[in-house]
Amino acid sequence: MKSRFALPLAVILSVLPFRCFSQGDGKPVVGAIYWPGWTDDTKWANNLKPPEWNNRLPFYAEVSSGTLSVRSDNQATMDQEIKYASAAGLDYIAFDYSPNETKAAFALYFSSQYRDRINFCVLLLGSGKKGAWPDVVRNLVRLFQEPTYQKVIDGRPLVYRYYVERMAEEFGSEAAARIALDYLRSETVKAGLKPPYLVAQVWNAQDGAMYADSLGFDALSAYSMSVDVSTFQRKEYPYSRLAKINRDFWNSCRGTGKEVVPIVNAGWDVRPRWWDTDLMKLYNGGEQPWF
């Protein structure tokens, strides 16, 4: 399917060592990261304007007389994406959640007549403005109480956190960041729910284990895991190499003794972004493979 789920990555939620998130029938719970950045005149959409990349456009995009129109922020698109995701066998959507930004994707999900077809959870991108954490926690606990919020391990709300390395700066210290996560747990329990299952999205196992210990995360995972030392070149590799990179990351995290939410990249190809030198600085200077 052509949707934003195709480039972001699918996540198979099974916990290693050897405790699985399942639906009671032994099947793993599977979700996908939902990134709502595909709208007109954004750098992300403009990357796909050249004709050679039009095959990468999502289903709701149109190219007419060389003009690209792509609007993800409407009800019809959200409804169709929920139907596609559900039909593909996904159990939940992990919504990027930034406390400092509007949450249009959430609003469209909640107003969809199809929302009961798929669960959702939060992927925290930050902790909000200074002093805003109590309000953020209040909003999160409210979301946890939604009937379609994804629960794991006997009812614990699933929460991912990206930019884990920024948390000490956001809260003032690692100790303060740990207290903030403990506050989220205590407020969730106070609301009559089980404590959230907090997953740190990291870039390597060793740093991840350190953050899990110092900040108090329950498990390790990643937003993406697309390169290793054997593929650090601008060239094409078979998908089997990308799958191996994913598996190696799981096993490396498991080797730390921490629980792991395995990440599965559906694909990886940043060639449409090569022209944007500032953007490519985020990709190790642009030396990126594709698979």
Side-chain angles (χ1 to χ4, degrees):
M1 67 184 172
K2 285 186 178 181
S3 81
R4 69 170 62 82
F5 293 109
L7 182 57
L9 28 105
V11 183
I12 297 179
L13 291 184
S14 57
V15 178
L16 301 176
F18 312 119
R19 181 170 68 178
C20 288
F21 297 172
S22 71
Q23 306 171 76
D25 56 7
K27 294 180 180 179
V29 177
V30 182
I33 294 171
Y34 183 103
W35 183 76
W38 300 105
T39 55
D40 289 346
D41 297 322
T42 62
K43 64 174 65 178
W44 319 107
N46 289 337
N47 290 333
L48 301 179
K49 275 186 176 180
E52 62 266 32
W53 303 120
N54 285 178
N55 67 320
R56 295 272 293 275
L57 289 168
F59 70 89
Y60 46 82
E62 295 181 358
V63 179
S64 178
S65 301
T67 299
L68 171 65
S69 176
V70 52
R71 301 299 310 185
S72 65
D73 52 351
N74 61 75
Q75 194 64 60
T77 296
M78 175 60 74
D79 290 349
Q80 186 60 63
E81 292 206 292
I82 289 173
K83 289 189 283 187
Y84 278 148
S86 176
L90 293 178
D91 299 294
Y92 74 93
I93 299 166
F95 283 107
D96 284 1
Y97 183 96
S98 177
N100 295 333
E101 298 175 3
T102 58
K103 304 166 187 66
F106 272 115
L108 293 172
Y109 170 81
F110 287 126
S111 61
S112 175
Q113 61 181 311
Y114 305 104
R115 60 172 289 194
D116 61 345
R117 295 190 183 185
I118 195 164
N119 288 345
F120 78 100
C121 77
V122 165
L123 193 168
L124 279 173
L125 300 180
S127 55
K129 298 177 181 178
K130 187 175 181 179
W133 185 241
D135 290 334
V136 174
V137 168
R138 191 175 302 112
N139 287 331
L140 290 176
V141 172
R142 178 181 55 81
L143 291 173
F144 295 165
Q145 296 176 77
E146 291 288 337
T148 55
Y149 197 94
Q150 182 64 52
K151 309 295 199 307
V152 297
I153 311 178
D154 298 324
R156 297 177 65 181
L158 175 64
V159 178
Y160 293 100
R161 166 67 206 221
Y162 192 40
Y163 300 127
V164 175
E165 65 278 6
R166 299 181 183 178
M167 290 183 64
E169 180 180 356
E170 290 174 12
F171 289 103
S173 68
E174 286 190 347
R178 187 181 185 102
I179 290 171
L181 292 184
D182 287 341
Y183 178 71
L184 173 59
R185 289 188 179 92
S186 65
E187 290 299 296
T188 303
V189 171
K190 190 182 298 183
L193 303 171
K194 294 191 176 181
Y197 190 78
L198 303 177
V199 183
Q201 293 184 324
V202 298
W203 297 109
N204 66 74
Q206 289 70 37
D207 286 349
M210 177 188 68
Y211 290 130
D213 288 336
S214 62
L215 301 176
F217 282 93
D218 297 294
L220 307 180
S221 189
Y223 194 94
S224 176
M225 193 53 57
S226 58
V227 295
D228 64 8
V229 293
S230 70
T231 57
F232 200 61
Q233 299 180 58
R234 277 195 180 192
K235 59 182 287 188
E236 183 179 83
Y237 295 89
Y239 180 79
S240 59
R241 293 288 289 276
L242 182 58
K244 182 179 184 301
I245 290 169
N246 286 181
R247 289 194 303 270
D248 288 347
F249 173 71
W250 309 345
N251 290 329
S252 181
C253 289
R254 182 170 61 175
T256 69
K258 305 302 179 184
E259 294 184 351
V260 185
V261 177
I263 194 83
V264 179
N265 276 73
W268 188 258
D269 185 351
V270 298
R271 286 177 293 172
R273 298 177 178 178
W274 279 356
W275 64 271
D276 190 331
T277 55
D278 287 336
L279 181 59
M280 287 308 298
K281 291 175 183 177
L282 302 176
Y283 296 98
N284 297 306
E287 293 302 320
Q288 285 277 319
W290 64 95
F291 298 90

